[in-house]
Amino acid sequence: KQEVTQIPAALSVPEGENLVLNCSFTDSAIYNLQWFRQDPGKGLTSLLLIQSSQREQTSGRLNASLDKSSGRSTLYIAASQPGDSATYLCAVGSSQAGTALIFGKGTTLSVSS
Amino acid sequence: GAVVSQHPSRVICKSGTSVKIECRSLDFQATTMFWYRQFPKQSLMLMATSNEGSKATYEQGVEKDKFLINHASLTLSTLTVTSAHPEDSSFYICSATPDRAIYEQYFGPGTRLTVT
């Protein structure tokens, strides 16, 4: 059964720092991996989607990498801002079509000004 | 495109009553939808997979008689929490997989259920 782990559980940084969030998964038979952002009491905002055949995806200050063979992904946030404060969730999609995404427990990020 | 809505966004009900949550795919057909539950400061836990025209598949530990799922059309799935108790208070999120893109999943905005 797929298990997704995110480290650290919480992270506090001053504004302007670059940071890395980590995600690992136990079953490498994935179709894709997705990073989401969730603000308190809100739904999910999709940030980046990496297909299993890809190594990384970039969007603005965000860069996500995927090493499928080792079961790892990282989300790199450059020049962090207070508005980046949120919980970041990693989710993997199985290679079996029509199955649900499996989520990690998330990393709660706090960026102070 | 690929928008999923949920209704209501918030609901408060009394213990013992039932509440229905709707999940709609607005601009695509979805044979498969999923229901997740999220407790405060926890991650999303899959409750069940809903398939149009057939019975839902529930994850281990989820009571199918308490959480009734109906997927009556290709754009609508409903989750009914029956005989609600305070411990059922949670954030419920649905997602839908487009029939045209079976490896994709789009999420609704969630429903906050509070049982008093």
Side-chain angles (χ1 to χ4, degrees):
Chain A
K1 182 179 179 182
Q2 180 73 269
E3 292 183 3
V4 180
T5 303
Q6 290 187 246
I7 296 173
L11 182 63
S12 293
V13 300
E15 182 177 7
E17 272 204 11
N18 303 324
L19 57 99
V20 175
L21 308 182
N22 298 291
C23 172
S24 62
F25 46 95
T26 55
D27 186 350
S28 61
I30 66 169
Y31 189 83
N32 54 37
L33 183 145
Q34 201 160 353
W35 284 92
F36 293 88
R37 168 183 173 142
Q38 187 176 31
D39 292 289
K42 303 294 185 182
L44 304 178
T45 300
S46 178
L47 297 174
L48 289 165
L49 170 68
I50 311 176
Q51 303 294 347
S52 61
S53 58
Q54 298 175 321
R55 297 284 291 182
E56 64 178 340
Q57 282 285 340
T58 298
S59 175
R61 294 183 293 109
L62 305 180
N63 175 278
S65 68
L66 174 64
D67 185 340
K68 181 181 169 182
S69 61
S70 68
R72 297 178 187 275
S73 175
T74 62
L75 178 66
Y76 176 82
I77 302 177
S80 58
Q81 303 171 356
D84 294 331
S85 299
T87 296
Y88 291 81
L89 295 166
C90 168
V92 297
S94 168
S95 57
Q96 181 180 351
T99 56
L101 292 179
I102 302 300
F103 285 81
K105 292 186 176 181
T107 294
T108 299
L109 172 65
S110 176
V111 181
S112 56
S113 56
Chain B
V3 178
V4 177
S5 70
Q6 276 185 248
H7 178 80
S9 58
R10 290 178 177 271
V11 58
I12 300 173
C13 70
K14 295 189 176 185
S15 289
T17 62
S18 296
V19 60
K20 181 185 289 187
I21 303 170
E22 295 185 346
C23 176
R24 292 182 185 271
S25 55
L26 299 185
D27 50 5
F28 62 93
Q29 292 187 330
T31 300
T32 302
M33 294 185 175
F34 304 99
W35 288 95
Y36 293 84
R37 180 174 181 176
Q38 186 179 35
F39 289 109
K41 300 188 184 300
Q42 299 291 318
S43 189
L44 278 74
M45 298 300 295
L46 180 66
M47 297 176 66
T49 300
S50 171
N51 289 297
E52 188 270 340
S54 63
K55 291 183 178 181
T57 302
Y58 291 82
E59 295 297 300
Q60 190 173 7
V62 178
E63 300 176 58
K64 62 180 182 180
D65 294 329
K66 179 170 185 63
F67 298 99
L68 301 180
I69 292 173
N70 185 283
H71 195 150
S73 78
L74 290 173
T75 59
L76 174 64
S77 176
T78 60
L79 169 68
T80 300
V81 183
T82 63
S83 187
H85 290 272
E87 56 264 34
D88 297 326
S89 298
S90 188
F91 193 52
Y92 293 87
I93 302 179
C94 74
S95 66
T97 293
D99 289 350
R100 65 176 188 270
I102 58 175
Y103 284 101
E104 297 177 9
Q105 211 172 314
Y106 296 91
F107 287 80
T111 296
R112 174 74 59 191
L113 169 64
T114 302
V115 184
T116 60

